Amino acid sequence: MNILETENLSKTYVTKLGGNKVTALTDVTFSVEEGEFIAIMGESGSGKTTLLNIIATLDKPTSGKVCIMGKDTSDISGKEAAAYRRKNLGFVFQDFDLLDNFSIRDNIYLPLVLSGMKHGDIERRLMPLAAKLGIEKLLDKFPYEVSGGQKQRTAAARALITQPSLILADEPTGALDSKSSNELLDLFSVVNKEGQTIVMVTHSTMAASKAGRVLFIKDGRIFHQIFRGNMTEHEMYARISDSLTAISLGGEPVE
């Protein structure tokens, strides 16, 4: 079953100064099966963040469509879009996006509180999840009292507690040191093996090497992809590195 499908997706912006048209995406078509872990890579300005924002219903395509769980999200707007995101999507951002005046517990609670779930039901979801992420002793602290890695684990818990169809991660290791990055990526691997579908935008070859498939975007188009198959993480890392080098030099990616 496909969790996500994009079909002939294009996005063109008109600049405020001069009214020039800038094409961010052109004819992007791909699908994501339930339980996949996909990384999207590309140079700055390649269109990968625009693609993620459209998938997240935070932006709309100029043409084409996005379907999540078989539902065309193109016509969703306003309150319906916010409710749809809370129910179906989980988000992990580079800058954590936590509320400093909320405890770790309340930050994780927030999406379920907004959806109207009862406190007891939320607590029953939280405790096993907090234990899995190693943050059960931090729940009464505030974001400014914990490390970057712990903040990102909190953000991951907030994304996972809604039991979403799809996790969208935008440069989730970008603000972390190498140890915290590895811990977060190991967590992603664990929840993915448990069946969670993940789409992650990243500049990090190390992060992408954890995925089962890597899509490369160049000039707003899907340029190449690598399937892990039976490759080890080391072999996947090498293939990704070689492909990125070839793409940046204007050559053909490594097959």
Side-chain angles (χ1 to χ4, degrees):
M1 175 183 176
N2 289 334
I3 290 284
L4 169 67
E5 295 177 332
T6 74
E7 182 179 329
N8 304 124
L9 204 63
S10 296
K11 180 66 177 181
T12 300
Y13 295 98
V14 178
T15 60
K16 291 182 179 179
L17 297 177
N20 296 320
K21 290 185 177 181
V22 177
T23 300
L25 296 173
T26 303
D27 199 27
V28 173
T29 299
F30 71 97
S31 61
V32 178
E33 292 184 2
E34 185 175 10
E36 275 199 280
F37 181 4
I38 289 182
I40 300 175
M41 303 191 79
E43 297 180 346
S44 295
S46 62
K48 60 187 185 299
T49 297
T50 298
L51 175 59
L52 197 72
N53 286 340
I54 291 174
I55 293 170
T57 73
L58 298 171
D59 198 358
K60 288 186 175 294
T62 304
S63 61
K65 67 179 182 178
V66 175
C67 292
I68 299 176
M69 299 290 290
K71 179 177 178 61
D72 186 348
T73 63
S74 304
D75 297 328
I76 298 177
S77 61
K79 291 182 179 180
E80 184 187 1
Y84 183 83
R85 286 192 291 271
R86 284 197 300 270
K87 183 178 180 181
N88 296 283
L89 304 176
F91 298 91
V92 182
F93 300 103
Q94 177 177 337
D95 60 359
F96 319 127
D97 205 30
L98 301 177
L99 299 174
D100 280 338
N101 58 334
F102 277 32
S103 68
I104 297 298
R105 183 190 307 273
D106 288 341
N107 268 285
I108 299 169
Y109 274 0
L110 187 58
L112 293 184
V113 171
L114 292 173
S115 67
M117 183 177 284
K118 294 180 179 179
H119 179 272
D121 294 333
I122 298 174
E123 188 72 9
R124 281 188 285 274
R125 278 197 191 183
L126 172 63
M127 296 316 297
L129 182 60
K132 178 188 291 186
L133 273 61
I135 57 173
E136 67 271 34
K137 295 181 180 179
L138 304 176
L139 294 175
D140 293 322
K141 293 184 178 292
F142 289 82
Y144 55 82
E145 297 179 302
V146 302
S147 70
Q150 291 166 334
K151 288 179 184 178
Q152 197 59 293
R153 282 175 173 264
T154 300
R158 182 186 56 197
L160 290 165
I161 199 168
T162 62
Q163 300 174 351
S165 302
L166 179 63
I167 290 286
L168 300 176
D170 189 4
E171 299 287 0
T173 62
L176 302 179
D177 59 34
S178 58
K179 180 176 181 294
S180 296
S181 294
N182 286 330
E183 289 174 350
L184 179 69
L185 293 169
D186 287 344
L187 168 65
F188 276 10
S189 295
V190 168
V191 298
N192 173 245
K193 287 176 182 176
E194 293 174 350
Q196 179 65 61
T197 309
I198 303 171
V199 174
M200 173 179 67
V201 163
T202 184
H203 279 100
S204 168
T205 303
M206 179 59 71
S209 69
K210 302 282 187 176
R213 177 160 55 120
V214 181
L215 298 177
F216 297 88
I217 292 187
K218 182 177 181 181
D219 300 329
R221 298 177 182 270
I222 300 291
F223 187 71
H224 181 53
Q225 62 181 326
I226 296 174
F227 290 86
R228 172 185 293 282
N230 296 320
M231 283 190 284
T232 64
E233 284 184 15
H234 178 76
E235 292 168 337
M236 188 72 164
Y237 183 99
R239 281 283 300 279
I240 294 168
S241 297
D242 290 345
S243 293
L244 287 172
T245 299
I247 291 169
S248 67
L249 294 175
E252 292 298 317
V254 177
E255 297 294 340

